[in-house]
Structures are given as structure tokens and as C-alpha cells.
Amino acid sequence: MNDDGEYYGSPESVAAMKRGATLWALVQGDPRFAFYGRMVGLGQPVDNTVEVLGALARLQGASACYFFPKSDVPALFSALESDGLSTDRHEHFLGGEAAYAAAKRVLSDHSLPNDLTVRRLSEATPGSFIGEAVALMESCGVMPVPAAFLRGKQGRGLCLVATMRITNRLPLLRRCSCIRPAAHTRKPSSGECWRRGRTGAEKRLHFFLARRRSFTCGKRKARGAS
């Protein structure tokens, strides 16, 4: 992994990202593991999921197992908690051609209002802007990823930032990657729901136009904005 050393966020977040990057450099050749900038996790369940997941969490401070069957979660959580670990979950949804068609309809039928601008982060985006976006993520309980991932230089993903011309410069931000592509940082009002849909549709089109013909979306039950 080419770590360019550009990190934003609290000292705790930066330390966690660096731990994940260091571990990934050691295990990236093992097909059991996955990494998208935050932490090394299991790409799917393995024979000894509890033991491996627990070891990853103790090394990094946290970890995850993707595509774990929902019906098996209670037993997994019970085993992890009995080992002294805390647990959390996101529901993941897979979108394909139908989502692509729906995204095209949304973009065809709606346009952004004059007070809203959507910006894709890239290598040319000023670091100060990315720093503000990361600060907003953290204020809403979303752990950031290294700037290389946010800029699209590393990993198969993208980050879209929606800004509004009001006192708070960045009231809504969404982050996207192939593993965990969407995270709202603020619960929108009912009047903003259609704006959300437009931003989400743009992300889905970006994936399909780049020949990534499917995507996953992680949702946290307790976070209404998700």
C-alpha cells in the first residue's frame, strides 16, 4: 500500500488509521482480509471468525466482518462479548442494474437547487477543504479514512461533498467506497430527503460508469440520516 502520509482528523482517528495501514502492509496478500483505509477486517466469514475478528480488534482498536449473515449475528455478538469485546453492526444492501436504472431516473427528473453544490474530492482538492469535511464527519460520529482514499487516489471509491450557501459551510457530506460507500453526517430534514436522493444517485452512476457494476451500502439502524 502506498501511504502518502496525508491524514486529517483527531489524534485518535489518525492513530487508528495508521494502525490499520501498518497491519494491512503485513496481511494484504491474505485473501481473508479487506481494507478500505480505516481498519483491516474480514472480507467475509471464515471458519474461526470469532478468534480472527477478536485478534484484529485487539491489534487495531476495532475491526469488522463484511457480508456476515444477519441470522448468525446474535451468536457472533454473544461470543465476542463473552471475550470482553464490545459490538456494533451496520446493515449492508447490495445494488445492481436496477439501482443504476433508478439513479438515472432520479438524475433525469431532478436538478440540484441553486443553494446546493456537489463536489467530488480529487487530487486537486485543497487540503483545507478536506480537513473541514473530515471535521464534520467526526462531529457526527463517522470515522474518516486517509486522504488518499477520500481523493480517489487509493481504493476503488469516491467521496462526494454537498455544500450549501448558509452559515454552516458543510451541513451534509457523504462518503463513498466499494466496501462501505455511504455515510450521512447529519440527519436531514424532510425537505432535504429528495436532495439526498439526488446525491446518492450521482454516486451510483459514478460507480457504474467506472464499470463497477454493483455497490454495497452500509446503514446504521440508530442513525436516521443513513
Side-chain angles (χ1 to χ4, degrees), residues 96-111:
E97 296 290 342
Y100 175 51
K104 289 200 298 183
R105 288 196 300 272
V106 169
L107 294 181
S108 174
D109 296 344
H110 300 283
S111 60

Side-chain angles (χ1 to χ4, degrees), residues 200-214:
E202 289 185 352
K203 291 198 302 182
R204 286 156 178 76
L205 283 181
H206 274 296
F207 274 115
F208 280 89
L209 293 177
R211 299 185 184 278
R212 299 160 193 167
R213 307 304 289 185
S214 67

Side-chain angles (χ1 to χ4, degrees), residues 86-98:
S86 60
T87 57
D88 191 15
R89 66 187 287 174
H90 288 76
E91 306 294 335
H92 278 239
F93 302 86
L94 179 66
E97 296 290 342

